[in-house]
Amino acid sequence: MELPRARFLIGRSSECDLCLPDAEISRKHAEIFFENNYYVLNNISSTHTLLNGSEISSPSVLLEGQKIDIGSWQLKFKQSKIPDEESQGSYKTALTYVSGDTTRLLSLNPETDTCLLEKTILVIKNPSGDELRVPFSKRKMLLGSSSSCDVVVKDDYVSGRHCEMSLQDEGIVVTDLHSTNGTHVAGNKIVSCLLKATQSFTVGQTALTFCVQQQEETLNPIPEPEFCGMVGKALSMQKLFAKIAKVAPTTHTVLVQGETGSGKELVARALHLLSLRRGKPYLVLNCGAISRSLIESELFGHEKGSFTGAVVKRMGAFEQVQGGSLFLDEIGELPLELQPALLRALENRTIRRVGGNAEISVDVRVIAATHRDLLNLVKQGRFREDLYYRLFVVPLEIPSLKERKEDIPLLISHFLKEAGVSKTFSEKALAKFSDYEWPGNIRELKNSVLRSLIFSEKEIIEASEVDLVLKEEEAESINLDEVEKNKIDQALLKTEGNKARAAELLGIAKSTLFKKLKDYNI
């Protein structure tokens, strides 16, 4: 059944869009709606709705392959494409997250494919000594004697809506909601107070304490051949997909490591698209492509007159991407003298423009990437040790192409589809691709495929027509526009300039062909 963009109701009532005859199912049991380029599942009944075996307590993003259990019925969500926030591309993914989930990722072990998780628990103790442990199910929870509250406390001295508890990175903020008898911390009446784990507060005659539980979780590979624009069926890639899925919804700084051309920017973009910041700005800054004299200004901005040429005040990358994600590619090339400023931005969330004195608060998630061995740079004194460990909390390692050669046919098929051509490679040609070591990784493979498309006239490209070695300056010029322009030229040549027949030969509308002729100045 195809889901519409409008609200989609599931239940046993004949009024629902999907009627499931089951006495255990409510008349209107659950809803699916489309929001921020995602389909979202929400339980609207008093009975359970399970997503991949877990009960949902708040709206949850639905993505590829997930199973929904309602009563005795099981539904599977299939989605082939998810548009990014700019509607400029399409991705396939297998991730979901519960928007209200409060489980925190503390660390990721790349060697064992395990992660350390932390869950916040509220321990409630009444005057008679009875104890109740309530897990935080949402980032903000209401506490009071009213049944409408998230945490209901039966205490004659507790107001209906007594206080609000808000989970922050620094701890839990408890805010009194103008209750009759007040909220107290260490015997003092408070309006709002930040509490850490093991600290307590009281409402009425009830004592409440925050505590945390830690547990180790093994990450299961995501068995999907495509994930957020990345392609791979190799186990190493499916493990990487799982790590991205676990890390993306968190606020952690991430270090992406991999050889040149392995796809570090795709990983960074996936981390942004699958995060809570996906609707906010995303900016790429290559630390190795900017001169040492300008990189500080590019990162942090500058005040007017701070240096020669600074004729106006300018915001740097951190301010431009406020609320979003900043991808710092080739972080190993960042000059040593600028690393303390980056460390301060990561730890204190403040920056200072070049030539300025004011500390500017920033809310930015940093994703860094490098093809270098940063630990070796630390030993050489070329990279700060404290910055290294600040970045290395959540490391993601991208396998090189030579380590996952089973993905080469899949990648080639992906590039052919992306180019919109019907050509294929012979088995011997595919074997030639697989036998090569690919020092330039995915980028080099893509260039080789596109070059073969341009220079071969055959529908089935033979091994003799595959040129694996390309000079670096030539590689930069190979792109999909060149492939498309070449195909249009060939079609016009075959049809002796007849545009209608050329459009038919290319399998596109005449209006599309006319637009492309104008775009390419043909």
Side-chain angles (χ1 to χ4, degrees), residues 224-226 231-234 406-415:
E224 293 291 331
E226 293 186 35
V231 176
K233 62 180 181 181
E406 63 266 44
D407 285 340
I408 288 176
L410 190 64
L411 285 162
I412 291 173
S413 176
H414 174 76
F415 297 144

Side-chain angles (χ1 to χ4, degrees), residues 64 92 222-234 237-238 241 404 407 410-411 414:
E64 180 69 22
K92 184 174 181 181
I222 292 179
E224 293 291 331
E226 293 186 35
F227 183 89
C228 290
M230 291 172 282
V231 176
K233 62 180 181 181
M237 286 301 291
Q238 294 184 348
F241 297 162
R404 56 180 188 110
D407 285 340
L410 190 64
L411 285 162
H414 174 76

Side-chain angles (χ1 to χ4, degrees), residues 85-274:
E85 74 269 24
E86 298 172 352
S87 301
Q88 292 180 344
S90 57
Y91 301 105
K92 184 174 181 181
T93 184
L95 168 73
T96 191
Y97 65 90
V98 179
S99 58
D101 189 18
T102 61
T103 301
R104 295 181 63 195
L105 175 67
L106 297 181
S107 62
L108 185 69
N109 189 328
E111 296 180 358
T112 60
D113 296 321
T114 59
C115 59
L116 185 62
L117 304 175
E118 180 182 87
K119 186 78 174 179
T120 301
I121 306 292
L122 179 64
V123 181
I124 305 172
K125 186 177 290 187
N126 64 21
S128 60
D130 297 329
E131 188 175 288
L132 177 66
R133 301 172 72 86
V134 178
F136 258 69
S137 59
K138 296 189 294 186
R139 294 193 178 278
K140 285 188 178 181
M141 296 179 69
L142 285 177
L143 182 148
S145 58
S146 170
S147 59
S148 64
C149 290
D150 302 296
V151 179
V152 179
V153 175
K154 296 302 181 183
D155 184 320
D156 293 339
Y157 298 93
V158 172
S159 299
R161 289 162 59 91
H162 196 103
C163 66
E164 180 188 75
M165 300 170 292
S166 176
L167 189 62
Q168 308 291 333
D169 289 341
E170 300 82 9
I172 302 96
V173 176
V174 178
T175 303
D176 186 80
L177 299 177
H178 306 289
S179 64
T180 302
N181 296 306
T183 301
H184 296 78
V185 175
N188 299 309
K189 191 174 182 178
I190 60 105
V191 175
S192 185
C193 183
L194 174 66
L195 299 179
K196 304 288 187 179
T198 73
Q199 290 186 302
S200 302
F201 68 102
T202 57
V203 293
Q205 296 180 320
T206 303
L208 304 103
T209 305
F210 296 109
C211 66
V212 294
Q213 292 180 346
Q214 293 184 1
Q215 65 182 57
E216 191 174 70
E217 179 182 289
T218 300
L219 296 175
N220 296 317
I222 292 179
E224 293 291 331
E226 293 186 35
F227 183 89
C228 290
M230 291 172 282
V231 176
K233 62 180 181 181
L235 181 60
S236 58
M237 286 301 291
Q238 294 184 348
K239 286 182 176 181
L240 176 63
F241 297 162
K243 292 173 185 176
I244 294 170
K246 181 62 70 174
V247 171
T250 73
T251 59
H252 285 304
T253 300
V254 180
L255 178 63
V256 184
Q257 298 171 294
E259 295 180 2
T260 299
S262 58
K264 295 186 287 294
E265 189 168 342
L266 283 177
V267 172
R269 186 164 181 79
L271 289 167
H272 174 70
L273 288 174
L274 301 177

Side-chain angles (χ1 to χ4, degrees), residues 297 301-307 309-315:
S297 173
H302 62 253
E303 297 291 350
K304 180 181 179 180
S306 56
F307 56 85
V311 294
V312 294
K313 181 175 71 175
R314 181 181 182 276
M315 291 196 303

Side-chain angles (χ1 to χ4, degrees), residues 281-301:
Y282 172 76
L283 184 65
V284 179
L285 189 70
N286 190 323
C287 299
I290 304 170
S291 67
R292 295 174 69 93
S293 60
L294 293 177
I295 192 166
E296 184 176 10
S297 173
E298 289 292 327
L299 279 170
F300 308 118

